[in-house]
Amino acid sequence: MNSHIMPTYARLPVCFERGEGAWLWDSDGKRHLDALSGIAVCNLGHAHPAVTAAIALQAGKLVHTSNLYRVGLQETLADALASASGMDNVFFCNSGAEANEAAIKLARKYGHGLGVCEPAVIVMENSFHGRTLATLSATGNRKIQEGFEPLVSGFVRVPYDDADAVSAIDNPNVVAVLVEPVQGEGGVRIPSPGYLKRLRELCDQRQWLLMLDEVQTGMGRTGSLFAFQQAGIVPDVFTLAKALGNGVPIGACLARGTAAEILTVGKHGSTFGGNPLACAAALAVLKTLGEENLVQRAGILGSAIAANFRTEFGSNPHVREVRNHGLMIGIELDRPCADLVGLALAQGLLINVTAETTIRLLPPLILDNAEAQLLVGQLAGIVNAHTIQNQ
Ligand SMILES: *Cc1c(COP(=O)(O)O)cnc(C)c1O
């Protein structure tokens, strides 16, 4: 099994063949409730008819031409994203790591424009920005960096959710701050309410670019199209990927003002980036999010699910906290709980555990109320049985 695949993943012994909405069917025909959406990718669920139709139509027309020519759908998608976000320009790529690479390159070039010879970016402890050399160097997790030294230099690390620590940085090389509005891989960590606003003020005072990694939080997941819209700020740069194409690979680095003019002819590129197929999928995603009112639904459903979990776990002393920002939901236990993934899988429920002790749920935004109830009941049963049995 997997004999010719590099062993970079500890894969669960299940293979899915078909999906519909919040459900996946494995090769034995067994049905699973997907509370992870392919890690915040399939926000519209599996095989959403609007996305399927857009992909099929475009695949039959034109898949790729390269960026040596104008790409009409790319221009249309950039317009839609710019008007939805308040940004001026978009660079398209194929993944979250690439989108963050673009942001880091943009910050460095911005710094050189200011006369800073070795520009540096402030990044956070516990963060995740991807697996390329620059993005793993920006990532605040030694396990991800180990074995790949020398790391890319030019990052200054501070604790997350600590604006004072950012304020205390007195380093003339700093030109930007890169931060996740909610840390996803880091354990669904939600910063205190004024955090992004303070970072915005600090960046304004010091001419730093505020760059948000919205690869996981973006596209409606947190209850607004982009998480920064709930923080009452606008970043200079932000990145998207995961749910942008509902599974068709596409990433984006968006910027406004002077930051939007930094990456000029010849300074960055991507062969596949923003090809007609990926853009058709992303346009269908944006349209469907609007038509089905799914962004608002993510906020309402997320709060309801979290409240129901709090009720279910009210008398379980091993559950430290249930937290959520829209449909990014974390259930933190008082112990490592990676075992729960296999136990849930056996019962036909797909969940994830991150940062060792936190169950992470990223259900699709199209989850209906009955499915939400099923998710809460089933997972609460598994967690309560497991923690009480093993106390
Ligand atoms: C998943 C993720 C990335 C990396 O995206 P890839 O598409 O796997 O390269 C970067 N940042 C955040 C916040 C993510 O959640």
Side-chain angles (χ1 to χ4, degrees), residues 95-97 100 128-130 180 185 213 215-216 241-242:
S95 68
N100 288 330
F128 182 76
H129 298 296
E180 296 157 272
E185 304 297 312
D213 180 344
V215 169
Q216 192 163 149
K242 290 201 164 92

Side-chain angles (χ1 to χ4, degrees), residues 16 35 40 64 69 81 94 102 106 187 193 226 230 237 283 350 384:
F16 300 109
H64 178 88
Y69 313 102
L81 288 172
N94 314 288
L106 191 160
F226 311 113
Q230 287 173 78
V237 176
L283 281 165
L350 305 179
N384 284 336

Side-chain angles (χ1 to χ4, degrees), residues 255-387:
R256 74 178 166 105
T258 49
E261 311 294 335
I262 302 281
L263 294 176
T264 50
V265 173
K267 291 300 171 187
H268 201 39
S270 164
T271 298
F272 293 135
N275 80 24
L277 185 72
C279 291
L283 281 165
V285 168
L286 273 175
K287 187 158 173 266
T288 306
L289 284 173
E291 281 175 1
E292 298 186 9
N293 233 337
L294 292 174
V295 176
Q296 195 192 9
R297 174 152 181 82
I300 294 167
L301 190 61
S303 304
I305 291 175
N308 289 340
F309 272 125
R310 284 185 197 108
T311 305
E312 293 282 349
F313 294 134
S315 58
N316 185 334
H318 305 291
V319 177
R320 281 222 179 106
E321 189 181 32
V322 177
R323 46 183 182 262
N324 82 294
H325 193 28
L327 280 173
M328 270 182 105
I329 302 164
I331 302 167
E332 187 178 334
L333 305 191
D334 63 355
R335 61 189 65 190
C337 58
D339 294 0
L340 293 174
V341 174
L343 293 172
L345 176 68
Q347 295 192 27
L349 178 63
L350 305 179
I351 62 165
N352 173 249
V353 166
T354 187
E356 286 182 14
T357 54
T358 301
I359 301 167
R360 177 172 52 160
L361 304 176
L362 300 160
L365 280 49
I366 50 84
L367 196 77
D368 70 24
N369 292 343
E371 290 161 344
Q373 227 168 23
L374 189 67
L375 162 62
V376 172
Q378 210 175 358
L379 183 58
I382 293 166
V383 171
N384 284 336
H386 184 71
T387 48

Side-chain angles (χ1 to χ4, degrees), residues 138-154:
T139 289
N141 181 341
R142 275 301 297 156
K143 279 192 210 151
I144 283 172
Q145 299 172 334
E146 247 160 31
F148 303 107
E149 297 84 357
L151 299 181
V152 173
S153 61

Side-chain angles (χ1 to χ4, degrees), residues 12-130:
L12 292 157
V14 63
C15 182
F16 300 109
E17 293 189 331
R18 181 168 72 83
E20 192 184 318
W23 296 91
L24 284 169
W25 282 262
D26 69 22
S27 46
D28 295 329
K30 180 180 158 189
R31 192 172 81 142
H32 302 255
L33 180 61
D34 185 1
L36 198 58
S37 312
I39 321 183
V41 168
C42 300
N43 278 9
L44 304 184
H46 300 283
H48 190 290
V51 182
T52 303
I55 294 170
L57 185 68
Q58 192 57 43
K61 234 194 234 177
L62 186 66
V63 170
H64 178 88
T65 56
S66 90
N67 287 304
L68 298 176
Y69 313 102
R70 287 181 58 181
V71 180
L73 288 173
Q74 194 182 117
E75 294 174 13
T76 309
L77 178 60
D79 280 354
L81 288 172
S83 72
S85 65
M87 298 295 117
D88 294 314
N89 286 333
V90 188
F91 175 84
F92 289 107
C93 52
N94 314 288
S95 68
E98 279 178 89
N100 288 330
E101 284 276 344
I104 293 163
K105 281 183 66 175
L106 191 160
R108 283 187 168 195
K109 190 150 181 297
Y110 166 77
H112 285 288
L114 296 177
V116 178
C117 295
E118 299 209 356
V121 178
I122 296 178
V123 291
M124 307 302 154
E125 288 173 7
N126 214 38
S127 60
F128 182 76
H129 298 296

